[in-house]
Amino acid sequence: MAETAASPTSAKPNAEKNLAARVSPARQLADEFAAGSLAGTVEISEVPFLTMVGLRALAGSAAAERLAGVTGGLPAGSGAVAGHGEVSVLWLGPAEFLVVAPTEAHESLGGDLIPALRDALGGDAGQVVDLSANRTTFELTGPRARAVLEKGCSLDLHPRVFKAGTAFSTEIANIPAILWKTGDESFRIFPRASFAEFLGRWLLDAMREYASPEVP
Amino acid sequence: MLLIPCPNCGPRDETEFHYGGQAHVPYPENPNELTDTEWSRYLFYRENPKGIFAERWVHSTGCRQWFNMLRDTVSYDIKSVYPMGSKRPDRSPDGAPESGTASTGPDSTTTGSAAPSTSSTSFPSTTAPEGATK
């Protein structure tokens, strides 16, 4: 942090330097992800270093109102996703939320999202915690993405039930993860950093039958 | 595997939950006044009924909230799910006071034959959100 605070004029080069020095939790799988993906069927990639902020505030409290003002709303119940623009808020519990924003929103890269949230909470009961390094993000897309997930997730993922724009904290391949359906055929999966390699390899294995050449 | 109806998230697999033991075991009012026997009874002695059992669960990979559940230990039927801090829904408000150590409760010998007396068999099924149902 001292590095970024050194002088305002050097913020930009420092931000790039900070980012270049980071290694994402599934970096070692990047080549395998590329090799294991088949465009138009199922593709996987890591979206590294998204800014994530853990929020805790009692629904209906003044602090929750102020936080909602920064993020563009707080989700009301299980599965709901709120937010506006590039900032999304996922429901994790009755008073617990996860803000997901692009990499540049992070303080170390000159973003102002986290200070704004911290100011919104003020001295009230609650939490604003930078959790950007807690989880990584996998993006699983394609017509077969649902079939891949169904091998290890017991939620009903049929589009009739699991609509785009909902997110659940659940288990995938027996590990806790957050599953967010961002589009009709695209999912974002947030495993904890220490589970990233396991889940990445598990997903590659699950994808293999779809992303392999068809055997005549 | 049990399919447990979480009051916040709807029905989820048992593996997403952790078990919290018997519900309604009150902390002693004055722990210092208890004898060692009474203290050990509070700490370690729990009911082991054949039939309806009130127990605590936490949805640890979901909403991370605790709740109480009435479960039949014979059939594994989940009879009721109710919030922490509220009374057992299958006991009348005046009878069966929740006092002292659990093992001295008048219903500690509840057996399977007592099951039909359970009045509350309703699930809070309306709380199941879209997308969370099996």
Side-chain angles (χ1 to χ4, degrees), chain A residues 28-109:
Chain A
Q28 70 279 19
L29 294 177
D31 293 341
E32 286 170 72
F33 279 176
S37 298
L38 184 64
T41 304
V42 59
E43 291 175 84
I44 188 173
S45 58
E46 187 190 16
V47 185
F49 313 133
L50 288 186
T51 300
M52 297 187 208
V53 191
L55 296 187
R56 270 177 178 249
L58 215 55
S61 66
E65 297 289 321
R66 292 197 302 273
L67 289 171
V70 175
T71 59
L74 294 178
S78 179
V81 177
H84 73 94
E86 294 197 292
V87 178
S88 301
V89 192
L90 279 56
W91 188 95
L92 295 186
E96 191 179 4
F97 312 96
L98 183 70
V99 181
V100 182
T103 313
E104 308 80 53
H106 196 268
E107 269 178 297
S108 65
L109 303 176

Side-chain angles (χ1 to χ4, degrees), chain B residues 20-91:
Chain B
Q22 182 181 336
H24 312 299
V25 181
Y27 190 75
E29 295 242 341
N30 287 307
N32 290 330
E33 292 172 8
L34 295 188
T35 64
D36 284 355
T37 311
E38 286 168 329
W39 180 243
S40 71
R41 287 212 164 258
Y42 160 70
L43 280 184
F44 306 118
Y45 285 63
R46 295 293 182 265
E47 287 180 47
N48 185 20
K50 183 179 178 187
I52 307 296
F53 188 45
E55 55 198 12
R56 302 177 301 175
W57 288 83
V58 60
H59 191 190
S60 41
T61 46
C63 58
R64 307 208 288 181
Q65 303 296 304
W66 285 89
F67 57 91
N68 288 328
M69 190 162 101
L70 288 184
R71 182 177 59 91
D72 192 316
T73 57
V74 179
S75 64
Y76 284 75
D77 255 4
I78 297 167
K79 301 292 185 189
S80 176
V81 170
Y82 56 104
M84 299 300 283
S86 58
K87 301 266 184 200
R88 268 186 78 145
D90 63 337
R91 300 270 165 89

